[in-house]
Amino acid sequence: MSEEHFRKIIEGVGISIWEEDFSHVKMLVDALAAEGVRDFRRYFVEHPDVVERAIGLVRILDVNPASVRMFGATSRGELLQSLHQIFLPETRQVFFEELVSIAEHQQFFESETVLKTLRGDRLHALLTITFPPPDQSFDRIVVTLTDITKRKRAEEALRESEERYRSLTAAITSLVWTTDAKGRFVTPQPGWTAYTGQAWEQLREYGWNEATHPDDRETIQRVWNAACISETSFEFSGRLWHASSHAYRHVETRGVPIRNADGTVREWIGKCLDVEDRTQAEKALQESEHRFSKFMRHLPGLAWIKDLQGHYVYANETAELVFQTPRERLYGRTDKEIFPQDVADQFKENDRQALISETGVQVVETLKHQDGVLHHAIVSKFPILGADGRPVLIGGMAIDITARKQAEQLLLESESEARRLLALNQTIMMNMGEGLYTLDSQGLVTYVNPEAERLLGWTSGELLGRSMHQMAHYQYPDGSPFPIEECAGFQVLRNGKVLRDFEDTFIRKDGSYFPVSYSSSPLRDQNGKIAGIVIVFQDISERKQAEENLRRWKDELEVRVQTRTGELLSSKNRLRSLAAQLSLTEEHQRRKLARDLHDYLVQLLVVGRMKLHELKENVSLPPEAEVLTGEVEDVLQQALTYSRTTIAELSPPALHETGLAESLKWLAEIMEKHGLRVKVHTSDYEAIPLSEDRVILLFQSLRELLFNVLKHAGVDEATVRMSSGQVGKVCIAVEDHGKGLQVGAMQQAMEPGHLGLFAVQERMEAMGGRVEFTSAPGKGTSVRLVLPIHGSPGEIDTESPRERKITQSPGSEHTAVNPQCEEVASIGQTTVQPRIRVMLVDDHVMFRKGMQKLLERYPDVEIVGEANDGEEAVRVVPQLMPDVVVMDNNMPKLNGIDATRRICREWPAIKVIGLSMYDEKEIRAAMLDAGAVDYLQKNGTVTELYQAICALFPQPT
């Protein structure tokens, strides 16, 4: 049904229809529910001020012509302006029930109420309201009022008729009865029968007691029997059945004995007086007084009663508090005795006006309350009429409207502020730098600001009342039509959602396009219904051009960045590769230098020491020469010791001879000489093939980390853990419990003079590894090196001798004993002791020749052959089958440890004595583990070597 059709029905219907806004009342009820109120009826009774506030929240929006006629008004405006005249105090209770219905989500409310026409006539009306579901709007509630005054008058007439009938019936409610001396009905009782309806057969003897109330029968029978026995008067108040009203009524019964001349009781005579009306009146009076007291106690305001002389005869608790006078002091006193003179005069004059007016007066009075604030109150004063229709008392009620007065003042101030803001908004819209226009619900222009006129090229007069979409938004930039249904800004009229910063294209009056960014917001009326939209837009042509330039520059920059990034990455990779090659070259040079020292200087020193020893053994020297010879020998020994230390520092022999795991233990011993105890754990490490550059990298990195602990951690102990638990990777962790790395330590490591950790990290990453740091100030540091076993293509795969898998050459022979040795063994019982066959293996010819010459002086030693390296030794041994092989450790091609292992495995009868320039326990342990029976230093004497050889073959006793 359309709004217009609905309005026509409302205007033409014959009953009074009011359109009211209960939305604020609904919000108040919802707020109370949110605060936890459940029993709303009780809450409203206990908080009448809330009910009063809710009354003020109802807004009457409109009334129909039938309402104007019902209340005797000349127009809608007169009726709406005179609403305060039509509502009586009784109406408040009806609104109370309306409020409860809203709170309890009742959708239908109906009640009778009493109103007053503008002519002052009382009007009885049936009020009906249909409320929407709780989740819908309460802003348009239809209230109907049906005039039932005639019906009420008919009901009143009927009630008066019934009262007259009851009065006639009451006239015969006094009855007389007689009994015999024993209290029995022995003769018919017409009065009893007429009142109770009992027939003679029912009431005879003691049957009369059946007409009494069941709750009274036992008591009345007992009292009656006692009276008969004592022959004294009988009095009882109880309830007796009344046939006409079909109900029990209260009666007062009195009976007296009638005596014979001799004083004996002949009969009893009595009377029952109906006192039901009096009883009910007393009860009604009590209830009325209780209701009055309760009403006055909960009245949301003051209430009082005065006599015609102005003396207070009643005041409720609220009045007592406001007047600041206890009721016992208030009663009997006048306003002049309680209030200041001006206030008392004001009250007295209003009392006088109330007595003059038949309906009383309603005025606004002021009084300072106990809070010290001057309060305003709407006061109703009215005469209370006596039985003769003349005033006997003056009643008064007052409702505090101070808050409303303050609200009205605030409203006035807010209206003034609203007008100021409206003017300000108009100024802003007229001078703002963005275009602004408003549309009604049909999309027609209702306002255009100057900036919008400038941007669009249209004047305000040309746009008002026309479709903005058809004027400036009717097609896409490609010329295709732009339906209004697809317009995002227009959709706000449908969905009510705010559209912000939407980019689109508008069309000027001259047909040119320009890009815009606009926001569209709904405009709502007082009922919340969308009445239009406001659109604010700005020309973003310059911004779009700037964005396009920025996008082009960004693309160019990205290309340049990618190019430079590729160059930097390439440079970084080359630098890493060069660093790795530099590190490997450095190590090779250190090894070459160490090897040169070992192969020439050290050998010369050893040979010189041998020659000196031979000189002392074979030539008798004067004392001065012996002293000089001893000093030369000490110098040679010191030179050997220094050379050996230098060679070990340049290229640790353990690293190349015994592998990475053993070299870590050697490094731990070196660090201990510098003051750092290092615990090495290699139980989780299995020997795996590593390229030479990876072994060197791990060793050098570990040495750098240990020196960092020594210099910076502030502790004298560290732990090294080596493992191969991760498939294809070797892991080495260095842990300490020292100071820990400070914040920014890695950043500082990249600065000049602090490149140790940074260099380690870069070299590890260059070989596909990584460095993991775990540290906190005061909690120590853990640095973990993780390196893949296999390198990238092109890396040198040079295995260290210890980690290289030893394989047997094809075609090798496994002859364990030289036939010549077998022959010697077979003639072991002869007296001739065979000579010990010795083979010398060393890559230094000078050392071999010197050693051969010295050993051949011993008659029981025979030098049967020589070899220049381990491979040659393995090849020559099966041909010579010596008893003893004197094996140097450090040799090219195949080192002494691996050569010893092969010889001892294939020819176990041959004894191997290891020789080395180094007194390193790792090398000693490796040589003995390979099968050597002894290990000597080259800087020892030939005698020591001879004794070691002889110890292998003890002479028979």
Side-chain angles (χ1 to χ4, degrees), residues 23 114 152 172 349 464 466 479 482 510 560 575 646 714 750 778 823 860 870 948:
S23 58
V114 179
K152 279 293 183 180
I172 60 170
E349 174 60 24
L464 291 178
R466 303 183 68 179
F482 192 161
D510 60 9
R560 293 183 183 180
L575 287 174
T646 302
M750 298 174 63
E823 180 181 354
D860 52 351

Side-chain angles (χ1 to χ4, degrees), residues 226-247:
C228 293
I229 293 172
S230 64
E231 298 181 347
T232 57
S233 299
F234 164 73
E235 291 184 1
F236 186 81
S237 295
R239 289 161 290 181
L240 189 64
W241 179 257
H242 187 226
S244 298
S245 61
H246 299 283

Side-chain angles (χ1 to χ4, degrees), residues 21 27 68 89 114 137 171 182 208 223 260 271 303 305 312 342 410 480-481 502 566 599 614 655 670 686 717 847:
D21 182 358
M27 291 169 60
V68 176
V114 179
S137 175
K182 295 183 179 180
W208 56 267
V223 175
N260 296 314
K271 179 181 179 181
I305 301 175
Y312 283 94
D342 58 336
L410 291 175
S480 59
F502 187 79
D599 292 349
E614 181 181 0
L655 181 63
I670 297 301
E686 296 181 2
E717 184 174 305
F847 179 79

